[in-house]
Amino acid sequence: NEPVREEGYVTQFLGKDAVTRIMEHDPKTPLFLYLAFTAPHAPYQAPKEYLDRYKDIADPTRRAYAAMITCMDDEIGKVLGALEKKKMRDNTLIVFLSDNGGNVNPMFSGDVDVCKLKLPADNGPYRGGKGTLYEGGTRVAALANWPGHIQPGDINQMIHVVDMFPTLASLAGVKPHKGKPLDGLNVWDSISVGKPSPRHEVVYKIEPFRGGVREDDW
């Protein structure tokens, strides 16, 4: 009664497609690659070779969750390998982040079968998860890597996903098109050398029936 493991193969397909695009790219021209893996999203499935690595995890859903993350990690490694082969690695900024915290409520899974399972995500000390206004749903780990341009270390300051657009645009030497005012701020100095973040507030989940505002530690 094991589930069909399409989800794991989607992860491998996305990684393979990204590698192909990098290998076909002319390094003399700029490249922006947005690679959105679906893992570790429901349904919790992974290729057998990855599930076999985690035979010691008794819970099948938790085992699949770990396998999905490892599969995604391997595909990211292949992307980095392709950048190395094309001699693009030292001139590439890599940003990795999630769009929400781990899901702890079947209602937000997008998969009816998940309602029958014990959900595998664990947001540690943070309350709630995906679909909530609490930190378990809105606070995620992220990383940025660019050899010679980012000092190693931890940044424990407020940065919002909307800050990515003006930050990346500034690094690329372009000005965002004029239009509605941007919510994002250029946080490159915070990411690269750990300077204080210019951001002091975050507005969460603008929806007709709920929302939240964080200002500094409040």
Side-chain angles (χ1 to χ4, degrees):
N1 296 325
E2 290 185 346
V4 178
R5 301 183 181 89
E6 288 97 344
E7 181 62 41
Y9 296 110
V10 168
T11 298
Q12 292 176 314
F13 172 80
L14 292 172
K16 182 179 180 180
D17 187 59
V19 167
T20 298
R21 293 176 183 274
I22 291 170
M23 297 307 294
E24 293 176 348
H25 182 72
D26 180 359
K28 296 179 181 178
T29 61
L31 171 67
F32 175 79
L33 177 64
Y34 174 67
L35 177 54
F37 288 107
T38 51
H41 195 284
Y44 302 114
Q45 304 162 352
K48 185 177 184 303
E49 62 268 27
Y50 285 95
L51 291 170
D52 288 345
R53 297 189 195 184
Y54 294 100
K55 290 180 178 179
D56 59 321
I57 300 179
D59 180 77
T61 309
R62 184 72 178 177
R63 184 188 316 130
Y65 194 72
M68 293 173 77
I69 293 172
T70 299
C71 182
M72 177 179 64
D73 189 49
D74 282 353
E75 294 307 312
I76 293 172
K78 293 173 185 177
V79 170
L80 297 182
L83 292 170
E84 293 278 4
K85 290 179 182 178
K86 294 290 285 189
K87 301 188 184 304
M88 298 167 58
R89 181 65 184 90
D90 289 343
N91 195 34
T92 299
L93 167 64
I94 295 170
V95 179
F96 177 90
L97 72 160
S98 176
D99 56 346
N100 50 253
N103 183 26
V104 295
N105 187 332
M107 183 174 68
F108 299 116
S109 70
D111 181 1
V112 66
D113 291 335
V114 169
C115 296
K116 309 170 187 176
L117 304 173
K118 177 184 177 183
L119 295 180
D122 184 346
N123 296 313
Y126 302 121
R127 181 181 180 184
K130 177 182 178 179
T132 74
L133 298 173
Y134 301 115
E135 286 197 306
T138 59
R139 181 173 178 172
V140 299
L143 67 86
N145 180 274
W146 188 4
H149 295 269
I150 297 178
Q151 295 179 1
D154 297 329
I155 305 299
N156 295 309
Q157 301 181 51
M158 193 184 300
I159 295 176
H160 190 12
V161 65
V162 298
D163 299 328
M164 288 295 98
F165 177 44
T167 301
L168 296 177
S170 176
L171 289 172
V174 297
K175 294 182 178 181
H177 295 297
K178 290 184 177 180
K180 293 183 178 179
L182 292 179
D183 293 319
L185 301 170
N186 185 344
V187 293
W188 177 242
D189 286 345
S190 301
I191 293 173
S192 59
V193 294
K195 289 187 177 181
S197 173
R199 174 168 295 285
H200 294 279
E201 76 291 320
V202 173
V203 180
Y204 298 113
K205 287 277 188 182
I206 301 299
E207 293 175 309
F209 57 95
R210 62 178 171 173
V213 178
R214 172 179 173 174
E215 183 174 355
D216 293 322
D217 289 335
W218 294 90

